[in-house]
Amino acid sequence: LLEGILHHLGQWFSKRKKKALFDALEKVKSELMTLGFISLLLTVTARYISRICIPAGAAHTMLPCKLSRSSEHGEGHGRRHLSEEPANFSCPKGMVSLVSTDGLHQLHIFVFFLAVFHVTFSAITMSLGRAKTRIWKEWEKDTSSITYEFSADPSKFRLTHQTSFVRQHASCWSKSTIMLYVVSFFRQFFRSVRRTDYLTLRHGFIAAHLSPGTRFNFRKYIKRSLQDDFKTVVGIR
């Protein structure tokens, strides 16, 4: 079922000519394949890993958390693990297994949830990015009207502080570096990009890269840039 969903999703990206998203999907599929191979490798080698004995003092040092007295002498919780303890084998006195069967079982669960959360995180990241750019669709439509060309005419403004962009950002909190970071942090959860910000960025981009008065859909350019960035962000290191 998972393979079929990924296959149809890849075909949909190809039909819509979304090459960056298709490359990102291929990267996710290769990483899921790697995680699946690691899980399979742990299953095959679990018996041999459990036979590796190390000193008990070294084992306690390698633990990420302090071992409680109850868990140190516990015998487990009666669960059926992916692999069982090797039969007729026990470490010499003062030695313990490098990784117990319970530890290998928890490692399998960790690999599984790592794969699930990686796919979920990638989908949520792309969905939130597209939802943000969808708001800008109406703003891009407004740029083709005569009213916008008149209101955005640079000759109207003789001084920089007369523009609406500067008036909105030149507030009392912008003079303090600490307050600027605090306000910017909370703004990202509400309206991180306002209409004035978008139109100012669009005007600056066209002025720097295109001739004045060029009909250019800046929102589509941002969407393509988002997909290219997503292809880089989606990988697991």
Side-chain angles (χ1 to χ4, degrees):
L1 181 62
L2 178 62
E3 194 276 336
I5 292 175
L6 293 177
H7 177 69
H8 287 293
L9 188 60
Q11 285 185 331
W12 186 76
F13 286 151
S14 299
K15 289 180 180 179
R16 299 290 295 271
K17 297 182 180 180
K18 298 181 180 294
K19 186 178 183 301
L21 289 182
F22 181 79
D23 294 340
L25 179 65
E26 291 297 317
K27 183 182 290 188
V28 171
K29 288 169 65 175
S30 65
E31 288 167 347
L32 291 178
M33 182 74 73
T34 303
L35 291 175
F37 178 75
I38 292 173
S39 183
L40 177 63
L41 196 64
L42 287 173
T43 303
V44 174
T45 60
R47 179 180 296 272
Y48 306 101
I49 294 177
S50 299
R51 290 176 180 266
I52 301 175
C53 298
I54 60 174
H60 292 171
T61 304
M62 293 167 59
L63 289 176
C65 304
K66 187 177 180 180
L67 188 66
S68 62
R69 193 174 297 273
S70 58
S71 60
E72 188 175 2
H73 301 287
E75 296 295 333
H77 305 282
R79 296 179 301 178
R80 184 178 184 275
H81 293 164
L82 297 173
S83 58
E84 300 297 334
E85 293 284 0
N88 302 325
F89 176 80
S90 61
C91 289
K93 188 176 181 180
M95 308 280 285
V96 294
S97 296
L98 176 64
V99 183
S100 64
T101 304
D102 185 64
L104 288 171
H105 178 70
Q106 294 181 18
L107 191 57
H108 276 288
I109 297 175
F110 171 74
V111 170
F112 172 76
F113 276 98
L114 180 63
V116 171
F117 277 104
H118 175 52
V119 174
T120 305
F121 173 77
S122 302
I124 291 177
T125 301
M126 194 60 199
S127 300
L128 291 177
R130 291 180 64 85
K132 176 66 70 175
T133 58
R134 193 175 293 114
I135 302 175
W136 305 343
K137 191 173 184 179
E138 296 298 326
W139 300 345
E140 187 64 37
K141 285 182 179 179
D142 294 341
T143 59
S144 58
S145 62
I146 302 177
T147 307
Y148 169 78
E149 294 180 359
F150 174 76
S151 60
D153 187 3
S155 61
K156 287 178 54 183
F157 307 102
R158 296 184 178 276
L159 299 174
T160 306
H161 67 266
Q162 292 178 344
T163 61
S164 57
F165 175 79
V166 176
R167 287 201 303 268
Q168 289 186 8
H169 288 273
S171 306
C172 57
W173 51 264
S174 62
K175 299 178 181 178
S176 173
T177 305
I178 298 177
M179 287 297 299
L180 180 63
Y181 278 107
V182 172
V183 173
S184 300
F185 174 78
F186 286 103
R187 272 189 59 188
Q188 67 177 324
F189 301 109
F190 301 99
R191 294 187 63 186
S192 57
V193 179
R194 290 176 287 189
R195 186 177 186 274
T196 308
D197 301 333
Y198 176 81
L199 296 178
T200 303
L201 182 62
R202 179 184 183 277
H203 175 76
F205 180 86
I206 293 178
H209 300 282
L210 302 172
S211 58
T214 303
R215 296 292 181 182
F216 179 73
N217 195 319
F218 184 64
R219 177 178 170 270
K220 286 186 177 181
Y221 172 79
I222 292 293
K223 284 180 63 178
R224 291 195 300 269
S225 302
L226 172 65
Q227 294 172 7
D228 292 336
D229 292 340
F230 179 70
K231 182 175 64 174
T232 306
V233 172
V234 74
I236 294 180
R237 291 182 179 239

